[in-house]
Amino acid sequence: VEFLYCDLASMKSIRQFVQQFRAKNCPLHVLVNNAGVMLVPERKTEDGFEEHFGLNYLGHFLLTNLLLDTLKQSGMHSHNARIITVSSATHYVGKLHLNDLQSRCSYSPHGAYAQSKLALVLFTYRLQHLLTANGSHVTANVVDPGVVNTDLYKHVFWVIKVVKWMTAWLFFK
């Protein structure tokens, strides 16, 4: 096992990671896009993007696109390379505000999170369409893991934290 650092909230870090990975000349059979933040207060990435959109969507978008050629070279007719992107059922209530993707006009942690997850779903659907149209041996899937007991809930209202603490063992994965 070898560790390569990648901060998905930093476009520079993503580019450095891809450069280091490519230098190893290793195949890439599976890319799992699973990093993210949820319901964070209004703040920006080092590149100036709203954090939900920057980390949850743009980071995965850039990483996937920079590694796509490696994935295509790694996929074979008998064994496709795979891109698995973790989203959330929250995407159902998300709206893409094309004139305000950075949530500058009216910031809502819930709205920003839902928009980032909707963007991931739409990106993955479009990517899969393009991969299929080009006969590529790469598949792109987006998944919802359900409610999982993680630190993503650290920015929720204290009452919800108490309820989570009391019920997570029963209802959360």
Side-chain angles (χ1 to χ4, degrees), residues 70-87:
T70 306
L71 285 156
K72 287 177 180 178
Q73 293 167 3
S74 303
M76 299 176 289
H77 179 68
S78 59
H79 293 92
N80 284 351
R82 301 191 182 277
I83 302 164
I84 300 155
T85 300
V86 178
S87 185

Side-chain angles (χ1 to χ4, degrees), residues 88-166:
S88 164
T90 306
H91 84 274
Y92 286 113
V93 298
K95 291 186 169 87
L96 277 181
H97 300 283
L98 297 176
N99 294 326
D100 188 25
L101 290 172
Q102 301 302 316
S103 303
R104 290 185 179 119
C105 293
S106 172
Y107 184 77
S108 157
H110 295 279
Y113 177 72
Q115 175 177 252
S116 71
K117 293 303 181 175
L118 176 58
L120 279 174
V121 169
L122 295 174
F123 164 62
T124 306
Y125 284 1
R126 179 65 180 161
L127 178 59
Q128 179 56 45
H129 174 77
L130 294 172
L131 291 168
T132 300
N134 292 326
S136 176
H137 296 296
V138 179
T139 59
N141 296 281
V142 62
V143 298
D144 170 15
V147 183
V148 181
N149 192 8
T150 68
D151 284 340
L152 281 176
Y153 299 90
K154 67 182 172 185
H155 295 289
V156 299
F157 188 60
W158 71 269
V159 173
I160 295 172
K161 286 182 186 178
V162 170
V163 171
K164 177 188 174 275
W165 177 77
M166 292 171 35

Side-chain angles (χ1 to χ4, degrees), residues 32-84:
V32 179
N33 293 318
N34 187 33
V37 293
M38 182 174 84
L39 308 178
V40 296
E42 187 172 11
R43 57 188 186 204
K44 299 194 180 317
T45 66
E46 72 177 44
D47 299 295
F49 300 115
E50 184 278 319
E51 192 169 21
H52 289 99
F53 200 71
L55 194 156
N56 293 359
Y57 174 67
L58 294 175
H60 291 108
F61 178 88
L62 180 62
L63 180 65
T64 300
N65 278 287
L66 292 177
L67 290 173
L68 200 51
D69 285 341
T70 306
L71 285 156
K72 287 177 180 178
Q73 293 167 3
S74 303
M76 299 176 289
H77 179 68
S78 59
H79 293 92
N80 284 351
R82 301 191 182 277
I83 302 164
I84 300 155

